[in-house]
Amino acid sequence: MKIAIMGYGTIGSGVAAVVEKNRDSIAKKAGEPIEVKYVLDLREFPGDPVQEKLVHDVDIIMEDPEVGIVVETMGGVEPACTFVKKALQAGKSVTTSNKALVAKKGTELLALAKENHVSFLFEASVGGGIPIIRPLNQCLTADEIMEITGILNGTTNYILTKMDRDGADLDAVLKRAQEKGYAEKDPTADIEGFDACRKIAILSSLAYGSQVDFEDIYTEGITGLSALDFKYAKELGMAIKLLATSRRAGDSFYAMVAPMMIGEDHPLHGVNGVFNGILVEGNMADKLMFYGRGAGSLPTASAVVADVVEMAKNPGETLLTSWSSEKLPLADKGTWERQFFVRMEGKRAERRILVEEIFGEVSYVEIPGLDEFGFVTPRMTEAEYEAKAAQAGGVIHMIRMAQ
Ligand code: HSE
């Protein structure tokens, strides 16, 4: 099987390395040797053995009948989408690590693959090296998925873990993360939650079988968090994690990305640093945890090459996913029930009566020497919380409690 890699960046070069390093075992599992015939990139790589396979014109790949599988590791929606469409129409199966492409165009590309009797797979687009797409697609098909909650972004998890351990503020930790290469020069997509939002949209589309548009998902990043929030979390015996979550509640579906307080007994509590963790709850299998490296060259490439092997084993077939083109409407977040941690201006003794009149039976958490106090509300809907917070006034910051 001859393959082509489009994009020789972190992941594309990892794919070439995995194919080379595990050549023999991959050949056994695929039933035939896998060979990289072309690498598409705008750049030159003098001295790199890939230089001999380098092409700058995508049509060389598309017009070569020997190439049966195309790997897309360019990132971004365009020109990746145009190139992937060309490959599918040319009768080549495609695997991609590109969550922006899958979240935006997944439905269309899956349909195009089916029309052309080829496959479109995307194991590496969520959770890097963690197998999560295939388990949802193949292993959990006897279950109705009730919930998916994940720490799906390594950059922010690294930052939050550092803020927790060092008592530092976001700006200082972000700067260090950028120096170490754990955060991009422009970290917006990570710290504003956009990356996690696309990933939970993909997982939810697979889990619930209908298209979840990432634009419909309420998304809050980590930029509102400060060192003081982590002090309160410690007092509560909790951690703060950026959770991407979706849940089935009867006939309704919710989805959200937001920083949340999670207790020690929560399975995602121990997912620290750059690691990702994904908790899936099925109505039969109950709770399952997937843990591993959500980014990085070789872990992500491992997932890409696993797709290549799967496609090489099933030539001329469309490997089906449960993702239909029907849109899944999400319920209004105002109706989602949970508890809320609230930081409020003033002294607890002075505001206690008002707080309890409005919010009901709360549990307080205080840090000595501050002109503010914290409390955890009883369970209520987001809409109820918002109305009560507006009525009480003086809310400095609210963090949702994980369910
Ligand atoms: N920036 C992403 C992360 C890369 O930190 O998880 C993997 O999608």
Side-chain angles (χ1 to χ4, degrees):
M1 172 58 73
K2 305 269 196 290
I3 69 169
I5 302 171
M6 302 195 296
Y8 196 63
T10 308
I11 304 168
S13 58
V15 170
V18 169
V19 167
E20 188 53 40
K21 192 160 173 49
N22 289 347
R23 170 174 298 278
D24 294 344
S25 64
I26 288 171
K28 263 191 214 149
K29 290 170 201 158
E32 61 181 315
I34 304 286
E35 194 191 311
V36 178
K37 183 162 185 187
Y38 300 112
V39 172
L40 177 77
D41 205 289
L42 288 172
R43 299 163 293 179
E44 301 292 337
F45 299 93
D48 188 320
V50 82
Q51 182 69 32
E52 290 166 24
K53 300 172 180 176
L54 200 65
V55 291
H56 303 302
D57 177 1
V58 74
D59 289 333
I60 295 173
I61 296 171
M62 302 307 157
E63 286 161 14
D64 186 339
E66 258 198 352
V67 174
I69 296 170
V70 172
V71 168
E72 188 279 304
T73 47
M74 303 165 62
V77 177
E78 282 300 347
C81 184
T82 304
F83 292 179
V84 168
K85 279 185 182 169
K86 272 191 176 193
L88 296 171
Q89 282 160 341
K92 302 173 195 308
S93 285
V94 175
T95 167
T96 180
S97 59
N98 183 343
K99 70 235 143 194
L101 176 68
V102 180
K104 184 95 190 155
K105 301 283 183 182
T107 312
E108 197 181 328
L109 296 173
L110 284 165
L112 195 59
K114 203 170 172 192
E115 248 172 60
N116 288 281
H117 313 289
V118 289
S119 295
F120 175 65
L121 298 185
F122 42 90
E123 181 60 65
S125 65
V126 181
I130 307 172
I132 183 62
I133 305 287
R134 202 160 286 115
L136 285 175
N137 240 340
Q138 291 181 6
C139 316
L140 288 168
T141 45
D143 274 58
E144 295 269 339
I145 304 299
M146 306 309 289
E147 179 186 337
I148 304 179
T149 299
I151 293 174
L152 298 178
N153 183 270
T155 302
T156 46
N157 204 41
Y158 170 85
I159 292 171
L160 298 183
T161 304
K162 276 280 183 202
M163 286 175 78
D164 185 36
R165 289 183 182 163
D166 301 352
D169 265 317
L170 176 73
D171 288 349
V173 178
L174 175 61
K175 202 161 165 275
R176 257 184 290 150
Q178 283 169 318
E179 282 160 11
K180 288 190 162 190
Y182 292 153
E184 306 268 354
K185 224 189 270 165
D186 177 1
T188 315
D190 294 320
I191 64 175
E192 296 294 355
F194 305 152
D195 176 83
C197 170
R198 277 153 184 79
K199 290 168 176 169
I200 194 68
I202 295 170
L203 294 183
S204 305
S205 298
L206 284 169
Y208 310 125
S210 302
Q211 165 78 23
V212 174
D213 288 334
F214 67 85
E215 293 95 338
D216 294 346
I217 300 176
Y218 174 80
T219 299
E220 208 178 287
I222 62 166
T223 49
L225 295 172
S226 67
L228 208 43
D229 292 316
F230 285 87
K231 274 196 182 160
Y232 278 108
K234 276 211 173 112
E235 288 295 317
L236 288 165
M238 298 188 128
I240 304 173
K241 300 286 186 191
L242 182 67
L243 296 187
T245 181
S246 69
R247 171 183 278 270
R248 184 196 296 263
D251 293 333
S252 302
F253 294 86
Y254 291 99
M256 178 184 286
V257 175
M260 294 191 197
M261 294 261 191
I262 66 173
E264 272 176 9
D265 54 349
H266 195 291
L268 292 168
H269 186 274
V271 178
N272 288 314
V274 294
F275 281 86
N276 283 194
I278 306 158
L279 173 70
V280 179
E281 188 183 330
N283 67 343
M284 298 293 136
D286 203 5
K287 289 192 161 96
L288 301 132
M289 264 289 283
F290 299 83
Y291 172 85
R293 289 191 182 274
S297 178
L298 295 179
T300 310
S302 157
V304 173
V305 178
D307 277 351
V308 171
V309 169
E310 182 80 0
M311 295 189 293
K313 275 161 58 179
N314 296 280
E317 261 187 60
T318 302
L319 298 164
L320 291 177
T321 70
S322 51
W323 180 341
S324 84
S325 58
E326 198 185 325
K327 182 178 160 84
L328 188 75
L330 295 178
D332 177 355
K333 97 172 184 351
T335 62
W336 201 343
E337 262 189 31
R338 62 174 74 250
Q339 289 179 281
F340 299 85
F341 163 74
V342 182
R343 277 171 55 197
M344 187 168 272
E345 287 169 359
K347 296 284 179 210
R348 168 186 161 179
E350 288 158 14
R351 302 214 69 194
R352 223 192 95 226
I353 295 173
L354 175 94
V355 164
E356 287 168 26
E357 251 175 35
I358 295 174
F359 287 95
E361 205 174 311
V362 300
S363 38
Y364 292 99
V365 46
E366 283 183 281
I367 296 170
L370 296 180
D371 198 21
E372 63 166 83
F373 61 100
F375 60 90
V376 177
T377 70
R379 226 178 138 76
M380 61 185 69
T381 64
E382 290 253 347
E384 281 164 347
Y385 164 76
E386 276 162 25
K388 288 174 194 291
Q391 192 188 343
V395 171
I396 300 169
H397 195 202
M398 174 276 278
I399 301 174
R400 294 171 181 82
M401 309 289 282
Q403 287 174 304

